[in-house]
Every structure is written in structure tokens, then in C-alpha cells.
Amino acid sequence: MKPPTVLAALLLLTLFPGQTLQASARADSLSIKIGQMLMIGFRGMTVDDAPEIVGDIRSRHIGGVVLFDYDVPLKSPVRNIGSREQLSKLTTGLQQLSDIPLFIAIDQEGGKVNRLKASKGFPQSVSAAHLGMLDNPDSTEAAARKTAATMKSMCMNMNLAPVLDLNVNPDNPVIGRLGRSYSADPAIVARHAMLTAAAFREEGIIPVFKHFPGHGSSETDTHKDFTDVTGSWTEKELEPYRAMIDAGYNDAVMTAHVFNRKLDSRFPATLSKKVLDDRLRQQLGFGGVILSDDMQMQAIAGHYGLEKAVRLAVEAGVDILLFGNNTAYDPDIAEKASSILHRLVKEGTISKARIDRSYHRIMKLKERFIYYCK
């Protein structure tokens, strides 16, 4: 049974909610299920510029793409986002390539982490730190709604935000200094994350809480190297997640690559079953999709080979492996990751049942959110 086309699938979803994508799941091939577990970054302002991602969507059935406005390895502002008209054509073109609707994701946190810049015709944005300082629900809701409406108009459906990290260390080079945290107070973080997620969801944008189990106390950047938060992390950093999950949140959570001996003496969070399964799934009760942070960041890529990292992440509980291709660039990364997963299943290292669990969560999330965008 071939999966439904984008238009047919979403038309059927309108007529028979909750049936189309899940019904096809029983017959979908292992290749499709593994493909849906991959989110890939690429170079190209148009579909014609990006033959690698076209092949990944058509042949490897990848489940999502992540877009950037700046190419870090090339130090170039030419990547995926140039203008409103250009971006809309790119996103609709990508969706039309796929038999199963794609997650189309960006990091649009606001402030310094801002892919949709005013210089390219998008609305101004403000940082989480600014909103947390104001601590005004109306301001936070208005900012989130503006972001979500902009993304929806550009046919994107997943925002890798809001950040639930506590601003424990204001000098943190990747959180505090960039204004990405609402506050050091978990109650303020939870309140504003809740408002933001609600506004996103009302516009059909999937919110992704990050970075579990907490990156706010770190002194180093996981993009650049191994990051140990054992001496600075506290259980308080779990409180925003606990509050959101207790309130019924079950969409998506992104992992942190931080190492925390208090939680796992061997592996960083992204590769840790103790962190992702024991803590996030079992203790906190999260039933949604777990995304890895970028698997090409040096905290992972610099210390683990690709096959070991992929295996450990999936064994730990990651549902979607994110390869942003913007720390290093590898046009064949989707093929490599897909081949590794196929081999691990064939060898019996990872069971088909384990792949099915991730696939079920992914498809369930897509059913709830993804709409056809003309």
C-alpha cells in the first residue's frame, strides 16, 4: 500500500480525522518508517537548487527538513531563506515532493535566534529574555501569535521553540548571553512557555520544548565541544517540563547534548536511556515525540562515531534524529543515517517494534497538525 499523497492524505484527514496516516502505518515499509525518523538540513533557496534533499524526500522518505537563513560552514547568508515569496515557494515545493506530509521546521525563538529576519521582509521579533522580564501574558501571547501566523503563511509547521532552559548561568554562551531563556524562575518559564505553545498550536504550528533536561547552567556550548553540567544542574530545571506535561502537553521535546553525571554517568542526555526513557517518558509521563538536538554538533560528533551515536540515540528513546547540516555539511547524511538504521534492524540490534513506536508517535503528531498549504 503506497502512502497517500499530501493532498489526498490531508483531504481524508479532514473527512475522517485520525484515520488516514495511522491506517497506512500498518502497511508502510521499513524504509518509510526509518525515513520518517530523519529531519535534514540542506543548501538551496529553491527545490531546483537542492537535488540532494529532493532525493532524500523521494527515495529515502525523510519525515522533515529544517531551514536556516545563514550557512555556517560557508559563512554565507545564502542558505534557505531570502524573502517571503522565495520561502513560500520553497516550502510548498518541498511538500509537493513528499507522499507523507513533511515537518518543515525552523528555530524562530525571537531576538538573536531568529531565522525570519526583518531585513528579509519578516516582522520584528523579541527575545524570550525580554518577554520574561516584562512578565506580561498579553505581550508573550501577541509575540507568539505573530511568529506563528508568519510561519503558517510561509507553509512551515514546526518551531523548534520555546526554550524551557532556566537562566541559571547568565554568562552561559549559548543560552544566557543570547537571551534565549525567559527566566531563572521555573514558574515564569513554565507560564510563558505555556502561553507561547498555546498560541503556536492555535495557528497549527507545532511547538518543540528544549533543551531537555536543561542547558541553562552550562558554561560551554554543545555546538563546539563536550559540555558537562554535573556541578551546576539541579532538579529545578525539570520543573517547567513537569508543569507542561502535567497540563497535558504531548507534542514534541528536543534533547540537550549536555553530560550530567547526576543523571547518567556514561552518556550525554541525547544518548541516555536514563535521561530520555527513565526521566522524560517514565517519571514525567511524556508520550509525545522526542527530537534530538543536531547530531552533527561537536558534543556528539566530536566524541562518537555516526553509527554509535545513531544507535545510542534511538536506544535511548529519540524518535527523530536531526541533522542540521549547518555545523558541518554532508549531502549524504540522510543516506548514511538511513543505512545505519536499516543495518541495525537487520542485525537485531534495534527491533522493528522500536522503529514502529517512533513511527507511530511521529504519524500521530502529523495527524494533529499538518495541513495542506497552497
Side-chain angles (χ1 to χ4, degrees):
M1 176 179 176
K2 184 179 180 181
T5 64
V6 172
L7 181 56
L10 288 156
L11 178 60
L12 286 169
L13 275 176
T14 302
L15 298 173
F16 306 104
Q19 294 184 21
T20 307
L21 297 180
Q22 286 296 302
S24 73
R26 290 188 296 273
D28 282 344
S29 70
L30 181 62
S31 293
I32 290 172
K33 293 174 181 179
I34 285 174
Q36 290 298 299
M37 294 174 67
L38 301 177
M39 179 175 284
I40 306 296
F42 64 97
R43 288 175 176 155
M45 303 288 275
T46 69
V47 170
D48 290 340
D49 293 338
E52 294 90 357
I53 207 68
V54 172
D56 290 338
I57 293 169
R58 287 179 169 168
S59 301
R60 281 168 280 283
H61 316 290
I62 64 168
V65 296
V66 58
L67 307 181
F68 296 95
D69 64 315
Y70 186 84
D71 193 302
V72 174
L74 293 181
K75 300 180 180 179
S76 168
V78 179
R79 177 72 181 204
N80 306 126
I81 301 170
S83 69
R84 296 182 70 101
E85 181 180 6
Q86 168 270 327
L87 179 57
S88 181
K89 288 181 179 178
L90 174 62
T91 55
T92 53
L94 290 167
Q95 283 290 19
Q96 289 164 4
L97 292 169
S98 186
D99 287 324
I100 298 174
L102 294 166
F103 291 129
I104 299 183
I106 57 169
D107 294 275
Q108 185 62 19
E109 298 174 17
K112 292 183 179 180
V113 180
N114 171 28
R115 313 303 184 207
L116 304 176
K117 291 181 169 56
S119 61
K120 296 182 179 180
F122 300 99
Q124 291 278 1
S125 68
V126 295
S127 70
H130 176 75
L131 293 170
M133 179 184 64
L134 292 178
D135 200 13
N136 182 308
D138 290 343
S139 297
T140 294
E141 183 178 355
R145 199 168 295 282
K146 181 166 68 172
T147 293
T150 301
M151 289 183 63
K152 184 176 182 179
S153 71
M154 294 294 101
C155 299
M156 291 179 285
N157 51 42
M158 178 179 278
N159 196 355
L160 305 177
V163 168
L164 267 64
D165 298 318
L166 304 187
N167 193 26
V168 176
N169 174 17
D171 288 329
N172 183 323
V174 73
I175 304 295
R177 286 185 197 169
L178 299 182
R180 299 173 71 189
S181 170
Y182 291 109
S183 175
D185 184 338
I188 293 175
V189 171
R191 179 160 64 247
H192 291 277
M194 184 84 76
L195 290 164
T196 299
F200 286 178
R201 297 177 95 249
E202 287 175 13
E203 293 290 340
I205 304 299
I206 303 166
V208 179
F209 294 158
K210 63 185 185 185
H211 307 81
F212 188 85
H215 206 320
S217 71
S218 73
E219 296 181 357
T220 55
D221 181 353
T222 50
H223 290 82
K224 297 178 180 179
D225 205 353
F226 183 81
T227 296
D228 189 341
V229 297
T230 302
S232 57
W233 183 91
T234 67
E235 291 280 342
K236 183 170 71 171
E237 296 182 55
L238 297 178
E239 290 181 18
Y241 293 96
R242 182 176 289 108
M244 306 300 276
I245 294 166
D246 286 349
Y249 180 80
N250 65 343
D251 296 339
V253 167
M254 176 178 279
T255 68
H257 293 332
V258 294
F259 176 78
N260 186 344
R261 194 176 299 277
K262 295 173 184 175
L263 301 179
D264 190 326
S265 62
R266 295 184 63 196
F267 300 117
T270 299
L271 310 183
S272 170
K273 188 172 183 178
K274 290 182 179 179
V275 173
L276 301 186
D277 190 57
D278 294 356
R279 283 291 181 125
L280 182 55
R281 291 246 187 255
Q282 304 304 321
Q283 292 186 23
L284 297 183
F286 180 64
V289 170
I290 298 177
L291 288 82
S292 75
D293 205 345
D294 188 351
M295 297 292 288
Q296 292 166 309
M297 289 160 57
Q298 284 302 299
I300 299 296
H303 298 268
Y304 300 89
L306 180 61
E307 180 163 345
K308 185 175 183 179
V310 166
R311 174 178 62 80
L312 289 172
V314 173
E315 288 178 339
V318 169
D319 298 306
I320 296 177
L321 296 160
L322 173 58
F323 294 91
N325 258 341
N326 207 20
T327 299
Y329 193 81
D330 183 351
D332 300 320
I333 192 63
E335 182 178 4
K336 291 176 181 177
S338 176
S339 295
I340 288 168
L341 285 170
H342 275 280
R343 185 166 62 253
L344 291 171
V345 172
K346 184 177 181 180
E347 294 170 352
T349 305
I350 292 175
S351 69
K352 289 183 179 180
R354 170 65 190 87
I355 300 296
D356 284 345
R357 287 196 292 274
S358 285
Y359 183 69
H360 176 80
R361 294 185 193 110
I362 292 163
M363 299 299 269
K364 190 174 181 180
L365 186 60
K366 288 187 173 186
E367 283 181 350
R368 291 208 308 270
F369 280 96
I370 294 188
Y371 51 88
Y372 184 69
C373 189
K374 296 181 181 180

